[in-house]
Structures are given as C-alpha cells and as structure tokens.
C-alpha cells in the first residue's frame, strides 16, 4: 500500500492547489473584505451576505431551480422508461444502447450548445428542411437544450440499478399475486430509488450551475447562478461572486449527502 | 388420489433448442413429486411453465380439471420457492411474507396472525423485523418457503431450493420440507439435480433428460429397477455390464449364467445388467466372477473398492477392507441383478 500511496501524491497536490485552496478563498472572500488584489484591508464582515437578499440574486437563484427542476422532471419521465427498456433488453443490444448514450457525451458540450443555438436562430441549417425557429431567449429553448445535454446523466444511474436487479424478484412478485403494474410499483420502482436519486442529482446539479448554455441560448437575457458569478467577477465584485459560489457549494454538498444516504454502496455513481 | 395437475403433450423450445419434448405427466393431490435430472434436462423449464413464467409452444396443462394455459402467473393458485430465494431486499421479513396476503387485501390482524403462524412453522419466531440482508442462507431459505406457503397454494413449486446450502443444513432441510409438506397437505413439485435429495423426500421421482421423461416411479423403483442405463448411472453409482437374456429368469454376463428375477424379454435378447456397488460382496477367489483388487479408498461409512475383472473395473462398497493385489470373487444375490433393455 505504501508504494501505491506515493503515486497518489500528484492527484492530492492537484486537489489541494486547485480545489481546497480556492474553496478556502471563496469562504474567506464571502465572510471578509479579503480580496486577492487588496490583501491589506482584511477584516471580517457579513456585508456581502446582504447580496443574498438582492432581487438580482433571488432571480438567478429562482431561475436556476426553475430550469434545472423542469429539466430534471422531464429527464426523469423520458429517461426512466428508456433505462428500463435498455436494462431489460438482450445483452448484445445493451452494448449498442450504452454506446448510443455515451458517444454523444464525448463530443464537447460547448459544441453541442452552439449547435442548439444555431438551430434556435431564425436563419439556420434547418431552413433546408423548411423549418425555422426563433427561440433564443425563450424558456422552451433552454429546457430543450438542457434536456438534451443532461438526459444521459439521468438514464445511466437508473439503468445501472435496473440492470443489476434480479428479474427473479419480479417473477416472485407475480407469483405472489401481483399484476405486472403492481409489481412495478411495489418492487421495481422502490428498488430503483437509489438510481433515481442519483439520476435526479446528476441532472439537477449541472443544470443548476449551467453557465455556457443559458449564456448562448438565453441570448444574454436569462441569468442563472453561473452567469451571475461570471458577471460579478467581471464587474470586480469578488466577494459577491464568492458569496454566490458559496451558496452553490452548499447546495452541491447537500445534494451529495442525499446521494450517499440513498445509495450506500455507491453503485449508481458512475 | 385425485389428479391436481395434468400435463399433456407439452413442448417448449428456445430459439432452435427443443427443451421440452411432448411431456405427459400427472401430479396427484398431496403428492411430493421430484423432477430429477442433470442441468439442461428441461426440469426447470417445466416448473416455469407450471408457474406461468414460460408459455409452452404446444400442449396443455390442466389444473384441478381446468385449463391453466392462459392464466397469468398472479392468478394461479400456485406459489414458487425460487432457487436463490428472490426475497425482496427492500422489505423486512414480515413484509416479505405478508406480500401476497396484502395483495389479497386481508385485514391487518389476519395478516399478523398468519405471518406469526408461518414463522413458527419455519422456526423463525421473532424474526419479523429483521432485515433480509442480515439473515444467513438457511434463514433466507426459510423466509422464502414461508413467503410461499403462507398463501396456502394448492401447489408449491420448489426450484432447487437447497442447492445453495451447505451439506448439513441441506440434510436437515430435507426432513423439514418433507414434514412440512405432510403437515400442510400441499402438493410439492421439487426440482433438483441431486439424486440423494430426490430419493430422500419424494413420493414420486420423475427422471428427465434432454427434455424427455425417462422414468417415473417411487424412489425405491427408480433406484432398484432403473429402466435405462442413464437412470442407473444417474441415480447412485452402479456397475453396468453388457449381457444376454437367455430366457425368463436366466441371464448371462461375464461369460457366466445366473438366475435372476426379470422376465418378459425375447430369447437371447441383448441387455445390460446393473449391479449396485453395495450389493456386491467380496469373497476370497473361488469361482464365479473373479478379479483383482486394484484400489481401495476409505469413504467414512464404507470402503470403495475397485476390482479389475478381465480389464473391466467394478466398484464395490463394503465395510470390510481388502488388500490391493488380492484375488477376489464377486458374490451377489439374484435379486441384486437388475436387467435393463438397451
């Protein structure tokens, strides 16, 4: 073990420098006048926390939950049947289905966002098919793009639990007098709860903190938490940007604790 | 006794693989019947057709005189004990057992009473609130049995339920299952590849191979009068010797003539003789079948002795040891000679 431990050091250094240290800065910047360009006037203050009452923040916070929430809900209702179908199909087809899910994720997310941006503009390649949209800045455009980005993250964890589930359990349920529908709600659904929680969180979190997607497809008019952080940094309000980041960190940690609670073996975390 | 199940001309194939070839079989009420055969013989498929998990390609199943073929599994008065128990991991012992009762919408106190009763039957009193994952294999097995029998099915299907248990536990469970079957008065269809299990528990044994039934009979019949070479070698160890049936009650093998108890063969019909290892006695070489002891292995209760007779090996089980190299005579009674048609 000791010889392996040495090989872990590069990652630990990376983790320390790029995650732990910046996190400490964020916390410091939230609760003090600390500023990387102005380190002499250091004193503790809760001044920047006042921003959490600002309509700008409240709007961004609400937008993040709104778009992420709707995206998650839609992803769940589209994703669960897909995951179920994949998990119950023949083994040789499973590889194909999993590839169909993974390969699109491999292409850069920014590229896919720009593709959607183009499609949603009145003049785009889809004019060739006699179609034309003017959806930039609309809720529907953001949600369609978000669903297409994050759907695989909903499908995978649910597929993972359903795939491992012993089909004999369904037979046992049928055998004991439950119809196919009853078996689904009494056995399959409760047993896939861990996968559902992981899928919801893995969709909700990135959607909430999405930055490039609302920027491009929102046409600059729809502000989510990620966009707010960026704007505040460019305005030079580091402590306000840090405060918003701090809120995002807390939400992430909270949701992560939820996954751990529902999925003790970690089988759904890819 | 009344026939509970009648299976007529049942065939089933998966892809191009014919796993059941026109099976005919009836099961009487309160019978403990075992489907015995090596893996791939179709015994589990037959069980799954009875449970309703597989649909037969041809043939029909009558249950209590009514066609069962189009009844979905949840409407059959049949319950199954699954091979790996298939207990619901998200439910505790109580809710696993109460699963079927709740679907029948029985009142809560009735369910409580029935669960308590069945837990007593399977010797798991006080286990109601235990998590399934904290139970040992034997305890899970009992919960699986309780979950099935609490519904008072007319027919209980058991798919190799003892395969995952260790030897001692398996032997205990064999007796308990048999007792339970008699106490409950439920018909049991038990699937196994273990001949000892089949012989110990069953009223009737059905030996299967390659989707066909080879022999149906009581354990004694199957053991003492195997109809085919396969049955003889699958059920216990045996010495199978080619021979000729000279006439009724007279058989010839190893170049010698013997009296026997079999009849009804053609004159000079080629047959095979089965001699069970425990039916052969070894005496110092005189006449009859004479051979040389080539190996002796201590097996606990008995010795397994290998005797070479003109290049053919005989297995003999005996409580008396022999020395390797000794010349011996193989001695047996005429009742011990079992003649099989080829």
């Amino acid at each position: 073990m000791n010889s392996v431990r040495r090989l872990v050091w590069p990652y630990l250094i990376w983790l320390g420098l790029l995650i732990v240290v910046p996190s400490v800065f964020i916390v410091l910047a939230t609760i003090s006048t600390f500023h990387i360009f102005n380190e002499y006037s250091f004193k503790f203050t809760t001044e920047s926390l006042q921003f959490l009452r600002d309509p700008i923040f409240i709007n961004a916070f609400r937008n993040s939950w709104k778009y992420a929430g709707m995206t998650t809900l839609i992803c769940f209702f589209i994703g669960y049947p897909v995951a179920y179908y994949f998990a119950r199909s023949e083994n040789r087809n499973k590889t194909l289905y999993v590839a169909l899910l993974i390969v699109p994720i491999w292409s850069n997310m920014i590229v896919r966002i720009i593709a959607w941006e183009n499609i949603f503009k009145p003049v785009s390649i889809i004019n060739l098919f006699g179609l034309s949209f003017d959806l930039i800045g609309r809720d529907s455009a953001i949600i369609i793009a978000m669903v297409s980005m994050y759907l695989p993250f909903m499908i995978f964890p649910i597929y993972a639990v359903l795939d491992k589930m012993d089909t004999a359990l369904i037979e046992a349920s049928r055998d004991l007098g439950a119809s196919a529908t009853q078996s689904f709600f009494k056995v399959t659904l409760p047993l896939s709860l861990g996968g559902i929680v992981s899928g919801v969180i893995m969709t909700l979190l990135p959607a909430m903190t999405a930055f490039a997607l609302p920027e491009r497809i929102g046409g600059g008019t729809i502000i989510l938490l990620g966009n707010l952080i960026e704007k505040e940094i460019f305005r030079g309000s580091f402590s306000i940007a840090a405060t918003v980041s701090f809120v995002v960190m807390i939400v992430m940690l909270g949701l992560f604790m939820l996954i751990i609670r529902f999925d003790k073996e970690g089988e759904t975390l890819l | 006794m009344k026939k509970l199940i009648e299976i007529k001309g049942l065939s089933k194939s998966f892809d191009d693989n014919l796993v059941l070839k026109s099976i005919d079989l009836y099961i009487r009420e309160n019978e403990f019947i075992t489907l015995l055969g090596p893996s791939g013989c179709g015994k589990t498929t037959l069980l799954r057709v009875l449970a309703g998990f597989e649909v037969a390609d041809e043939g029909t199943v009558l249950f209590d005189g009514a066609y069962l073929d189009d009844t979905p599994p949840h409407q059959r008065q049949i319950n199954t004990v699954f091979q790996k128990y298939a207990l619901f991991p998200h439910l505790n012992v109580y809710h696993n057992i109460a699963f079927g009762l709740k679907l029948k919408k029985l009142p809560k106190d009735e369910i409580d009473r029935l669960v308590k009763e069945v837990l007593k039957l399977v010797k798991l009193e006080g286990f109601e609130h235990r998590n399934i994952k904290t139970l040992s294999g034997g305890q899970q097995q009992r919960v699986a049995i309780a979950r099935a029998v609490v519904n008072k099915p007319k027919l209980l299907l058991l798919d190799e339920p003892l395969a995952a248990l260790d030897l001692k536990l398996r032997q205990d469970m064999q007796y308990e299952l048999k007792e339970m079957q008699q106490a409950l008065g439920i018909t049991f269809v038990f699937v196994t590849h273990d001949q000892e299990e089949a012989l110990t528990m069953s009223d009737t044994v059905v030996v299967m191979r390659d989707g066909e039934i080879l022999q149906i009979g009581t354990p004694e019949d199957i053991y003492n009068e195997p109809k085919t070479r396969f049955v003889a070698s699958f059920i216990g160890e045996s010495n199978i010797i080619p021979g000729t049936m000279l006439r009724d009650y007279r058989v010839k093998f190893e170049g010698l003539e013997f009296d026997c108890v079999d009849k009804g063969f053609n004159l000079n019909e080629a047959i095979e003789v089965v001699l069970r290892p425990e039916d052969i006695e070894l005496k110092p070489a005189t006449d009859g079948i004479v051979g040389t002891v080539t190996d002796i292995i201590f097996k606990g209760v008995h010795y397994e002795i290998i005797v070479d007779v003109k290049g053919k090996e005989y297995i003999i089980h005996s409580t008396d040891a022999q020395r390797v190299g000794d010349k011996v005579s193989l001695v047996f009674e005429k009742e011990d000679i079992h003649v099989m048609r080829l």
Side-chain angles (χ1 to χ4, degrees), chain A residues 191 264-265 267, chain B residues 87-93 96 130-137 139-140:
Chain A
L191 282 175
K264 293 189 178 69
E265 287 96 34
E267 58 181 337
Chain B
L87 298 174
F88 303 120
H90 61 302
L91 303 176
N92 65 16
V93 171
N96 261 282
R130 287 282 292 274
N131 185 329
I132 293 301
K133 287 169 197 151
T134 67
L135 301 181
S136 70
Q139 290 166 339
Q140 291 190 19

Side-chain angles (χ1 to χ4, degrees), chain A residues 15-41:
Chain A
L15 190 75
L17 286 179
L18 298 176
I19 310 253
V20 178
V21 173
S23 300
V24 171
F25 279 140
I26 287 175
V27 176
L28 275 180
T30 305
I31 56 168
S32 73
T33 57
F34 172 82
H35 190 301
I36 33 173
F37 304 122
N38 182 17
E39 66 273 27
Y40 301 111
S41 66

Side-chain angles (χ1 to χ4, degrees), chain B residues 70-324:
Chain B
D70 296 326
T71 311
H74 65 284
Q75 287 166 3
R76 297 184 181 201
Q77 285 174 298
I78 297 173
N79 286 113
T80 307
V81 176
F82 290 84
Q83 187 168 12
K84 287 174 193 134
Y85 320 139
L87 298 174
F88 303 120
H90 61 302
L91 303 176
N92 65 16
V93 171
Y94 175 91
H95 288 289
N96 261 282
I97 296 173
F99 194 91
L101 302 175
K102 283 198 223 158
L103 286 162
K104 285 184 198 147
K105 306 248 189 290
L106 293 184
K108 172 102 173 60
D109 50 341
E110 175 77 354
I111 295 177
D112 285 350
R113 191 179 63 76
L114 289 169
V115 171
K116 236 192 169 69
E117 208 176 277
V118 80
L119 278 174
K120 194 173 170 189
L121 179 77
V122 297
K123 297 174 184 155
L124 285 178
E125 286 157 293
F127 275 68
E128 284 92 338
H129 303 293
R130 287 282 292 274
N131 185 329
I132 293 301
K133 287 169 197 151
T134 67
L135 301 181
S136 70
Q139 290 166 339
Q140 291 190 19
Q141 167 66 258
R142 286 156 194 271
V143 175
I145 293 167
R147 184 179 70 174
V149 300
V150 78
N151 300 290
K152 306 239 161 42
K154 286 195 174 170
L155 179 66
L156 187 71
L157 308 174
L158 301 105
D159 185 9
E160 307 222 13
L162 308 182
L165 304 180
D166 59 55
L167 182 66
K168 184 75 183 70
L169 203 53
R170 198 158 69 220
Q171 288 171 340
D172 292 345
M173 279 307 289
Q174 287 174 9
Y175 296 111
E176 282 187 35
L177 272 176
K178 182 73 193 161
E179 274 176 24
M180 222 182 278
Q181 189 257 340
Q182 283 161 351
L184 291 166
I186 298 175
T187 310
F188 276 34
V189 178
F190 189 96
V191 158
T192 186
H193 63 267
D194 183 322
Q195 44 100 8
E196 191 219 314
E197 248 171 51
L199 298 179
T200 309
M201 293 189 285
S202 322
D203 300 320
T204 307
V205 178
V206 178
V207 185
M208 293 180 67
R209 187 181 65 165
D210 295 337
E212 287 174 310
I213 293 176
L214 297 182
Q215 191 169 354
I216 303 175
T218 64
E220 288 88 347
D221 287 345
I222 300 276
Y223 189 82
N224 291 331
E225 296 297 332
K227 277 190 196 155
T228 67
R229 185 189 181 92
F230 175 80
V231 175
S233 55
F234 192 70
I235 313 284
E237 284 185 271
S238 49
N239 299 292
I240 299 173
I241 313 116
T244 316
M245 202 69 189
L246 299 174
R247 56 180 184 274
D248 282 356
Y249 309 119
R250 193 73 178 164
V251 64
K252 181 179 179 185
F253 58 95
E254 293 290 0
L256 298 163
E257 285 186 24
F258 298 90
D259 286 331
C260 67
V261 293
D262 300 270
K263 64 179 169 83
F265 295 83
N266 296 329
L267 287 183
N268 295 320
E269 183 178 337
I271 47 89
E272 278 180 321
V273 169
V274 175
L275 284 171
R276 294 291 183 185
E278 66 276 16
D279 290 339
I280 302 174
E281 217 181 319
L282 296 179
K283 295 267 169 70
T286 48
D287 52 0
I289 301 176
V290 176
T292 313
V293 176
T294 58
D295 203 359
I296 175 160
I297 304 156
F298 181 58
K299 290 279 195 177
V301 180
H302 61 261
Y303 294 95
E304 183 174 297
I305 302 160
I306 310 293
V307 174
D308 184 296
V309 177
K310 290 179 257 171
K312 183 181 177 353
E313 283 191 341
Y314 280 73
I315 299 175
I316 291 112
H317 292 171
S318 166
T319 46
D320 301 322
Q322 299 287 337
R323 272 202 309 271
V324 173

